[in-house]
């Protein structure tokens, strides 16, 4: 009787251990796969807009229409980020804030 219980608990423990290892493996794959997929772009160089501009300027390689469209897309994306950075910088630039406070105090004080 005790042998049957011991064998049963042995099998249950083995299955629980296997399930834990598989769960950890699945979590690891779930977390690391996006990083590996996106990080592969850093290893396999596909070029940037600046690289394609340089290729066009120095060697005349590429399609001008495609390059201009890509430049327009990247300029728009950069403009949005530059606006965000400028907005953030205005919030932490204490000299600028103090000058504005002094001006407001003189005008309305």
């Amino acid at each position: 009787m005790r042998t049957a219980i011991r064998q049963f608990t042995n099998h249950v423990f083995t299955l629980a251990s296997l399930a834990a290892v598989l769960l950890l493996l699945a979590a690891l794959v779930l977390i690391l796969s996006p990083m590996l997929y996106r990080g592969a772009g850093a290893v396999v160089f596909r070029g940037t807009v600046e690289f394609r501009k340089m290729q066009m300027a120095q060697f005349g390689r590429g399609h001008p229409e495609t390059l201009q469209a890509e430049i327009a897309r990247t300029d728009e994306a950069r403009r949005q980020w530059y606006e965000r950075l400028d907005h953030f910088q205005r919030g932490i630039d204490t000299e600028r804030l103090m000058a504005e406070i002094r001006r407001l105090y003189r005008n309305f004080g």
Side-chain angles (χ1 to χ4, degrees):
M1 180 73 177
R2 288 185 186 261
T3 309
I5 293 173
R6 185 179 198 117
Q7 285 180 350
F8 176 73
T9 55
N10 187 20
H11 290 296
V12 169
F13 181 75
T14 302
L15 289 176
S17 300
L18 182 62
V21 169
L22 290 177
L23 182 66
L24 286 172
L25 184 64
L28 187 65
V29 167
L30 186 70
I31 291 170
L32 289 180
S33 60
M35 286 190 275
L36 292 174
Y37 176 72
R38 292 186 183 121
V43 176
V44 180
F45 181 70
R46 288 179 274 163
T48 61
V49 176
E50 288 78 18
F51 178 74
R52 284 188 271 287
K53 280 197 262 187
M54 187 252 331
Q55 288 285 342
M56 178 62 77
Q58 288 185 355
F59 306 113
R61 294 184 57 150
H63 297 57
E65 301 84 21
T66 308
L67 182 61
Q68 289 302 322
E70 190 173 4
I71 291 171
R73 281 195 319 269
T74 55
D75 285 346
E76 177 61 26
R78 287 178 182 163
R79 184 190 58 77
Q80 292 173 0
W81 280 104
Y82 289 150
E83 287 175 0
R84 289 178 187 170
L85 287 172
D86 187 46
H87 180 71
F88 177 75
Q89 183 182 7
R90 277 187 258 133
I92 61 171
D93 187 9
T94 56
E95 290 295 321
R96 190 175 183 180
L97 290 173
M98 290 300 290
E100 189 174 343
I101 289 171
R102 285 189 197 106
R103 183 185 59 80
L104 290 171
Y105 183 75
R106 271 186 256 122
N107 289 344
F108 302 110

